[in-house]
Amino acid sequence: MERSILLAGLALCLFSLWALLRHDVRRLIAPAREARAVVVGHVANWDDGERTYAARLRFQADEQVHEVTDQRLRRQPLPPEGAAVIVRFPAGRPDLARIPHPWMWAWVYAAVTMMAVMLLARLLGWAGS
């Protein structure tokens, strides 16, 4: 039973890493472009009974105006409307633009990888009893 739970957890961690990398591979291998975006509003959501906000960003790239929603949710509508921010996106894909949060994503990858390593160590008998 324990082995089944460990295998399921390991599979979930590996699937999570694949899903993250699938979306980030373009950002990692394609030349990056930057643009100056303006916050034009916020998208409100509910998360665990608490109101959260994601910035709605408008910018110009490839002679067209684009709008994207930031992936980071906040408890307050930040940055304020009208604020200028820098967005980064792979060349030719302005629909993938986002405010750079490299440390946040590094922590996400590190946490999922560490969980996979701990489950694998337990599965192989290197940790715990």
Side-chain angles (χ1 to χ4, degrees):
M1 180 67 168
E2 178 185 359
R3 183 175 174 81
S4 299
I5 293 171
L6 292 171
L7 285 171
L10 184 59
L12 181 61
C13 287
L14 294 176
F15 174 78
S16 298
L17 282 172
W18 172 81
L20 287 167
L21 282 170
R22 190 182 80 136
H23 287 287
D24 286 343
V25 74
R26 278 197 182 107
R27 289 182 177 93
L28 296 171
I29 62 173
R33 294 202 40 214
E34 286 188 351
R36 183 177 175 269
V38 175
V39 178
V40 293
H42 294 86
V43 177
N45 295 303
W46 287 96
D47 185 31
D48 290 333
E50 200 170 333
R51 195 111 166 128
T52 58
Y53 301 90
R56 191 87 184 126
L57 310 166
R58 182 178 294 151
F59 65 98
Q60 185 167 345
D62 302 328
E63 299 178 13
Q64 292 182 351
V65 175
H66 301 276
E67 272 195 30
V68 295
T69 302
D70 190 21
Q71 294 178 326
R72 188 173 176 188
L73 297 175
R74 301 171 193 252
R75 291 187 179 147
Q76 294 87 23
L78 293 173
E81 261 187 75
V85 295
I86 299 295
V87 293
R88 187 173 293 144
F89 56 93
R93 293 297 307 266
D95 58 307
L96 295 178
R98 68 180 182 198
I99 298 172
H101 302 292
W103 286 109
M104 179 184 77
W105 289 109
W107 279 110
V108 169
Y109 277 98
V112 176
T113 301
M114 190 64 191
M115 284 187 271
V117 168
M118 290 186 322
L119 289 168
L120 184 61
R122 179 75 176 121
L123 189 64
L124 298 176
W126 298 344
S129 57

